[in-house]
Amino acid sequence: MGEAKRRETFSQRIRREQPFCIFCGGSTPSETVEHYPPRSIFDRKHRPQGMEFGACKECNEASREADLVVATFSRMMPDAPTATGRAEVKRLIDSALRIPGFAKEVYPEWNQLGVLKRYQEVAPRLPTWNFVRLDGPIVARAFTIFASKLALALHTTTTRRILPPGGAIAVQWYSNLDAYNGELPKDFIAMCGPSRTLRQGNFQVGDQFRVASVVPDDSGYMSGHFASFRDSFGVLMFATERADELKGGWSVSPGFLKRPLTVIPVKQTGS
């Protein structure tokens, strides 16, 4: 048995340790290994090991478009410092623009005078015009899928428990403009304590992804998280085994990737 374990691949080890899909609530055998956050978020699709999960094929593949949209937005700020990085961002954008309706929804606003009037006092403090608009329907759907899937991954990571089918996930996301406007959930972020990132030896990606978490008690029935991606956006996530604690607000449950999705309501940018 010891020799067999030494010969097993990384993927085989993950599936042995996690024989059921964490995104289905532990009700479906895992067929693949899902890296979440996905590799596409990171420079050159290169990330340290950590946060790999057993997943069924359907849950693994169902977030592909959402992952592409979110990976594209994650590169908006700061600008890539190298020619290789800029070429990688261009490939992401070109791929995202093939999604029907995406270009129209996120097309840059050329009327900067109108932008200045709209944002008034905050505009002079912004270091760039790379405002990330997160209020369109295509983007809202992508962030709903991405954030909900990440919540399940982080819940499993922090509690060592798979959120069961009767559990619930609630999410909200924040743009870089929200951050400069002081609209992040500061009290919750402070409650989470120090943030962490993926790290493997000397290789770490703290400039691309950081997350802070809180687990209220040792039972592990609930977890809360705030993740930031470069200087582009942040995501607030709650996962609980007691769905009634969300008090009738918007939520999804494990297995949501296999069902029609009700997208989280988003606040609209003022005109």
Side-chain angles (χ1 to χ4, degrees), residues 85-271:
R86 290 189 289 273
E88 183 180 16
V89 173
K90 184 178 184 303
R91 287 193 296 271
L92 276 172
I93 293 173
D94 289 344
S95 296
L97 290 176
R98 297 190 185 102
I99 300 171
F102 182 76
K104 184 177 181 181
E105 183 172 311
V106 300
Y107 202 71
E109 179 148 14
W110 294 105
N111 180 10
Q112 291 193 356
L113 178 60
V115 175
L116 282 168
K117 288 180 178 178
R118 182 182 309 164
Y119 299 133
Q120 297 180 357
E121 294 181 1
V122 73
R125 303 202 305 270
L126 296 172
T128 175
W129 286 105
N130 289 345
F131 301 145
V132 178
R133 181 188 173 195
L134 304 180
D135 60 353
I138 296 172
V139 174
R141 176 180 173 80
F143 270 81
T144 299
I145 292 171
F146 173 82
S148 301
K149 192 171 181 179
L150 182 60
L152 289 170
L154 289 166
H155 183 77
T156 298
T157 298
T158 54
T159 68
R160 302 299 177 187
R161 295 157 64 104
I162 294 176
L163 194 71
I169 310 116
V171 302
Q172 183 60 62
W173 51 90
Y174 300 85
S175 70
N176 50 10
L177 183 59
D178 291 331
Y180 282 104
N181 253 329
E183 296 177 3
L184 297 183
K186 295 178 181 177
D187 291 342
F188 175 79
I189 294 173
M191 182 172 61
C192 289
S195 65
R196 63 191 187 279
T197 190
L198 294 173
R199 186 182 300 273
Q200 188 175 357
N202 293 327
F203 176 36
Q204 57 89 21
V205 287
D207 59 335
Q208 302 168 64
F209 163 68
R210 299 199 69 85
V211 63
S213 302
V214 60
V215 178
D217 59 49
D218 293 339
S219 72
Y221 82 92
M222 173 185 278
S223 65
H225 316 271
F226 188 85
S228 58
F229 295 83
R230 296 183 175 83
D231 294 329
S232 294
F233 62 86
V235 183
L236 175 68
M237 299 155 282
F238 293 98
T240 178
E241 295 179 7
R242 304 171 188 172
D244 60 323
E245 291 192 341
L246 296 182
K247 299 179 180 178
W250 177 93
S251 66
V252 297
S253 57
F256 75 94
L257 290 161
K258 298 180 176 180
R259 301 188 294 266
L261 179 67
T262 300
V263 175
I264 183 173
V266 295
K267 65 179 182 180
Q268 299 297 311
T269 302
S271 58

